[in-house]
Amino acid sequence: MARLSDPITILKGIGPSKAKQFAALNIFTLEDLICHFPRGYEDRTKIVPIEKLEVDVPACFKAMVMNTPRTAHIRKGLDITKVTVADYSGRLNLTFFNQKFTTDQLQYGKEYIFYGTLSGDYMGYGMTSPAFEAIDSAPLTTRRVLPIYPLTAGLSNAAVLKAVRQALSICDVPAEIIPDDVRAEYGILPAERAYYAIHEPASMQEAEMAKKRLIFEEFFVFSAGLALMRAKRATKQTPPYTKTDLTAFYSALPFTLTGAQRRAIGEIATDLQRGAPMNRLVQGDVGSGKTMVAAAAAYLAIQNGHQAAMMAPTEILAEQHYASLSKLLTPLGISVCLLTGSMTPKNKTLTREAIAAGQAQLIVGTHALVSESTVFADLGLVITDEQHRFGVGQRSALAGKGTDPHLLVMSATPIPRTLALLMYGDLDVSILDELPPGREPVDTFLVDESYRARINNFIRKQVTEGHQCYVVCPAVAENDGLDLKAAEVWAGTLQQTVFTDLRVGLLHGQMKGAEKDSVMSRFAAGDADVLVATTVIEVGVDVPNATLMVIEDADRFGLSQLHQLRGRVGRGKAKSYCILTSHNKNHETLQRLKALCKTTDGFKIAEEDLRLRGPGDFFGSRQSGLPVFRVANLSCDLATLKAAQAASAHWIDTAGTANTPEANALRGRIAQLFARSQGTMN
Ligand code: ADP
Ligand code: MG
């Protein structure tokens, strides 16, 4: 018997060059191969007589070869082979392109099983390049439910099929990790049968059953992993904070905190006094005032003699946090410093020295904070802002700079509960469900191109009244084939033809960090009237004087993303507006955008977005931090996820520390899954 960890090169027919092709699919070991699951199936089980074949409906049939295949060389790179086959019910002409080697196998007078799609009309019928097998061969591509695998250049479905079949014949499938009673309760196949049946199902139903089991298994491993992390953290100890008086902090604030902010701060303070590391997520809609909650936490850490670090996903955001936090905390005698990648090497070194010496107490920065050369004197609290932009890996890398520091995670993406459990299942949650007083909801409108003149007039009106506007475009530069507003072009058009007397700025992700920063700070200082930008402004930027946001080609964005963008306005006292433009005529698309005009409740929007687009798009393509699932699909398998979560929670309570083969196997699998998701286990 071979082992799951053996390289696939021990299989017949897989040498170094084939192995390379498999490597492109991340398949290195027999286990990888056995866990390379089909993306779908073709039911090739039914065999029909030739006269029952239907145009455009693929089917299997058994037929005899009626002549010797003839190959004509048409031109360089094009060989056509023709052969006629027949059964008792009829004859059929087959045509193959560039398959001389294959068709050489078809022998005059012998019977084969074919699988193909009939084409033709009253002029005559035929079939192009059907798959075929000798009738005495083991069914590989005909007479079966055929798994369709994800492939890569040079690697055929049949090649994967053969390799998988060989692997299954020489080694055991991954060990059973789901307890018997759980399997019985949820009607789930045993591991051995499921891993076999997912590749070699006897029927489409069996394939479904196998898939169901494997989805459950992935979720089970994942949720058990989160539960274990949580349990492990609960055993860690850290000196409880004793100085918890926030009076000075509160009186330094330029406003009264909302009830939700106070509640969140209270929850944080309780965590910090408990003597175990805090792991808390603060989730709150855009503008709900998360920064002040973070500031309170930092204040407490510093009062208790530790350093606090706050990591933001962009330089602009880091600088903005730095500005507002130093304004607030410096008068309280706290030393706040900034560390970002674009600072001069000299400044970086100086700052790092201050951090290492413990002179810097609150350090705001980008992922420069995580870099090896940043060493903290005594990091007691780690805050990550806009957490969905960071992977679990980065979060724990920063945490690794201290000894079991407290963790505070801030997310402006109101994510549906189920997904929150997935991404943050190991965290406690505080929700800011209240906006600071006096905020009026942002009025949102959906319009088409016929409103262009009115939009421009409206922009001018806002500017005349002393306010500023954002114009968001889906693309940076002109894009062939896609009729999308490009920020560079549109900024030029607006400045040169529409708003010649106004100051139009441009901001996009392809600009250099320093350039972006100077544009942004000019806008924040009121030195630009209209800022044409891409979604780089989506995250966190705070310019309360901006009262209008125009989002061009709004149909190109997800609802949650639009909601985030819209959150850039309505941050001050003045009434704010958001105009969505779209020339899309699709009814569903328009309904989706209208939903945004009707509600400003981020959680409702998130639920709707998840329902419409699925979690992949929900977080955008840059999303990281979600686990990499092989079979499970978060948008359709939420019910299974919930079941698996319940089952694994029970497992942790009853067998989490057991030393049984099953429990050990499960712990091994948990480690594997998290390694694949580039997270760490602490
Ligand atoms: P977010 O939750 O989106 O990160 P911020 O922390 O950036 O929100 O706060 C948004 C704006 O609201 C900031 O200008 C901030 O100073 C202000 N703000 C925060 N809390 C309050 C409050 N309790 N009362 C009034 N304004 C507040
Ligand atoms: Mg924020």
Side-chain angles (χ1 to χ4, degrees):
M1 272 319 246
R3 288 157 185 259
L4 281 169
S5 56
D6 287 340
I8 53 169
T9 43
I10 69 164
L11 297 175
K12 274 189 227 100
I14 301 192
S17 76
K18 264 269 157 310
K20 243 194 206 143
Q21 293 170 344
F22 277 101
L25 293 169
N26 275 322
I27 299 173
F28 303 95
T29 64
L30 296 183
E31 177 163 13
D32 297 335
L33 187 59
I34 288 174
C35 294
H36 186 61
F37 301 126
R39 57 177 170 79
Y41 297 90
E42 273 177 29
D43 191 349
R44 299 184 174 189
T45 47
K46 265 228 305 281
I47 296 190
V48 301
I50 287 180
E51 67 171 358
K52 288 276 163 60
L53 288 173
E54 289 174 57
V55 171
D56 291 339
V57 180
C60 279
F61 57 99
K62 182 164 115 183
M64 184 183 284
V65 174
M66 304 305 285
N67 54 18
T68 305
R70 289 177 317 269
T71 299
H73 182 68
I74 305 296
R75 56 176 159 76
K76 192 160 183 281
L78 182 61
D79 285 333
I80 293 187
T81 306
K82 287 187 181 288
V83 64
T84 303
V85 300
D87 67 4
Y88 69 89
S89 74
R91 299 164 74 86
L92 189 63
N93 293 324
L94 307 181
T95 309
F96 296 87
F97 295 101
N98 295 334
Q99 277 179 268
K100 186 165 177 342
F101 288 110
T102 324
T103 47
D104 281 347
Q105 293 161 9
L106 287 171
Q107 288 174 27
Y108 172 45
K110 277 189 84 171
E111 275 188 310
Y112 298 85
I113 308 288
F114 296 87
Y115 175 83
T117 308
L118 189 69
S119 59
D121 48 32
Y122 65 95
M123 298 286 286
Y125 295 96
M127 188 177 283
T128 306
S129 303
F132 61 87
E133 286 173 327
I135 49 173
D136 51 4
S137 71
L140 190 67
T141 57
T142 68
R143 295 159 290 166
R144 63 172 294 179
V145 174
L146 184 79
I148 308 296
Y149 290 99
L151 299 173
T152 181
L155 199 58
S156 70
N157 198 55
V160 177
L161 207 65
K162 276 191 201 143
V164 170
R165 180 173 286 188
Q166 235 194 101
L168 285 170
S169 72
I170 61 163
C171 75
D172 287 330
V173 301
E176 181 60 83
I177 47 160
I178 304 181
D180 291 347
D181 52 336
V182 175
R183 282 210 319 274
E185 186 178 347
Y186 295 98
I188 279 168
L189 291 184
E192 207 178 337
R193 230 183 109 204
Y195 277 97
Y196 190 79
I198 195 92
H199 298 291
E200 307 266 357
S203 63
M204 291 298 258
Q205 288 92 309
E206 202 190 31
E208 269 315 302
M209 291 284 290
K211 196 172 159 201
K212 178 181 161 193
R213 142 87 203 199
L214 294 168
I215 291 172
F216 190 94
E217 177 172 322
E218 281 199 305
F219 284 148
F220 187 78
V221 171
F222 180 73
S223 352
L226 287 184
L228 272 186
M229 275 202 258
R230 185 191 275 272
K232 195 168 145 195
R233 281 223 193 86
T235 64
K236 283 190 180 157
Q237 292 192 355
T238 181
Y241 286 8
T242 49
K243 298 186 182 134
T244 52
D245 184 8
L246 281 160
T247 321
F249 175 80
Y250 286 143
S251 46
L253 286 173
F255 38 66
T256 350
L257 293 176
T258 65
Q261 282 171 317
R262 282 177 177 275
R263 198 167 55 237
I265 292 172
E267 285 161 353
I268 289 167
T270 309
D271 286 354
L272 297 175
Q273 293 166 64
R274 217 180 26 213
M278 166 172 77
N279 285 283
R280 184 164 291 277
L281 167 69
V282 174
Q283 216 186 20
D285 218 336
V286 278
S288 57
K290 290 181 291 293
T291 317
M292 288 307 130
V293 174
Y299 178 82
L300 286 176
I302 293 160
Q303 292 312 301
N304 285 273
H306 308 282
Q307 289 172 302
M310 180 172 195
M311 182 162 67
T314 64
E315 302 227 333
I316 294 175
L317 199 54
E319 284 174 14
Q320 217 163 58
H321 283 326
Y322 169 69
S324 55
L325 292 173
S326 51
K327 194 167 133 199
L328 176 74
L329 299 175
T330 312
L332 296 174
I334 291 174
S335 133
V336 186
C337 77
L338 176 70
L339 184 67
T340 66
S342 69
M343 284 164 47
T344 62
K346 187 172 161 227
N347 276 340
K348 267 188 274 197
T349 307
L350 284 176
T351 306
R352 288 202 166 108
E353 280 167 11
I355 298 172
Q359 284 150 6
Q361 293 172 296
L362 171 58
I363 302 95
V364 182
T366 54
H367 42 258
L369 290 174
V370 186
S371 102
E372 240 172 74
S373 44
T374 313
V375 179
F376 291 82
D378 175 15
L379 182 59
L381 170 68
V382 165
I383 304 165
T384 55
D385 193 23
E386 310 294 346
Q387 163 70 19
H388 67 292
R389 295 291 177 115
F390 296 113
V392 181
Q394 273 164 311
R395 194 210 295 166
S396 33
L398 184 53
K401 304 259 174 196
T403 316
D404 294 333
H406 297 289
L407 266 183
L408 187 63
V409 169
M410 325 260 285
S411 174
T413 314
I415 47 181
R417 178 101 192 109
T418 22
L419 280 188
L421 275 174
L422 261 184
M423 292 186 66
Y424 309 119
D426 57 327
L427 303 179
D428 300 311
V429 182
S430 296
I431 292 182
L432 298 185
D433 50 5
E434 189 182 346
L435 293 181
R439 294 275 172 78
E440 271 186 84
V442 177
D443 281 352
T444 306
F445 307 94
L446 173 63
V447 301
D448 61 20
E449 205 47 42
S450 68
Y451 283 73
R452 183 58 65 191
R454 270 183 271 181
I455 296 173
N456 289 341
N457 286 341
F458 196 55
I459 293 178
R460 183 174 289 282
K461 180 164 176 278
Q462 294 299 316
V463 174
T464 311
E465 289 171 6
H467 297 303
Q468 293 162 283
C469 307
Y470 295 102
V471 176
V472 179
C473 300
V476 174
E478 201 100 282
N479 211 325
D480 286 341
L482 287 174
D483 181 19
L484 297 177
K485 280 251 160 15
E488 277 178 354
V489 183
W490 193 233
T493 310
L494 288 180
Q495 179 74 85
Q496 279 145 36
T497 66
V498 190
F499 302 125
T500 47
D501 53 330
L502 304 183
R503 299 160 300 173
V504 178
L506 171 67
L507 182 74
H508 60 72
Q510 286 169 22
M511 287 163 48
K512 291 222 172 61
E515 210 183 339
K516 271 193 286 203
D517 291 346
S518 85
V519 172
M520 201 57 227
S521 38
R522 273 183 47 214
F523 186 70
D527 291 341
D529 304 306
V530 179
L531 183 63
V532 180
T534 56
T535 51
V536 285
I537 57 150
E538 171 192 348
V539 172
V541 176
D542 188 34
V543 181
N545 190 42
T547 50
L548 170 62
M549 169 165 288
V550 180
I551 304 177
E552 302 288 349
D553 299 305
D555 51 285
R556 305 296 299 190
F557 303 99
L559 282 187
S560 292
Q561 203 178 8
L562 289 169
H563 180 64
Q564 284 285 311
L565 284 167
R566 176 171 64 179
R568 300 305 110 222
V569 295
R571 299 173 82 85
K573 290 197 181 62
K575 175 82 194 160
S576 293
Y577 307 88
C578 177
I579 300 176
L580 310 172
T581 82
S582 172
H583 40 234
N584 196 306
K585 298 270 184 294
N586 182 292
H587 178 72
E588 271 176 42
T589 307
L590 295 177
Q591 283 311 108
R592 189 162 71 85
L593 294 176
K594 279 182 190 150
L596 199 78
C597 300
K598 274 185 233 139
T599 179
T600 50
D601 179 337
F603 281 93
K604 263 195 205 142
I605 291 166
E607 295 282 355
E608 183 69 5
D609 207 16
L610 178 66
R611 195 177 66 74
L612 291 168
R613 303 186 355 139
D617 289 324
F618 182 84
F619 290 110
S621 48
R622 297 201 308 134
Q623 140 63 25
S624 57
L626 265 187
V628 183
F629 291 115
R630 280 174 157 141
V631 252
N633 176 336
L634 288 175
S635 54
C636 7
D637 302 325
L638 286 178
T640 312
L641 171 62
K642 282 182 192 157
Q645 264 166 350
S648 67
H650 181 69
W651 178 84
I652 292 293
D653 288 346
T654 53
T657 53
N659 197 12
T660 62
E662 223 170 54
N664 291 332
L666 177 54
R667 280 192 288 265
R669 289 285 301 282
I670 292 170
Q672 260 179 22
L673 176 70
F674 282 81
R676 254 196 294 143
S677 313
Q678 27 147 310
T680 55
M681 286 296 295
N682 50 38

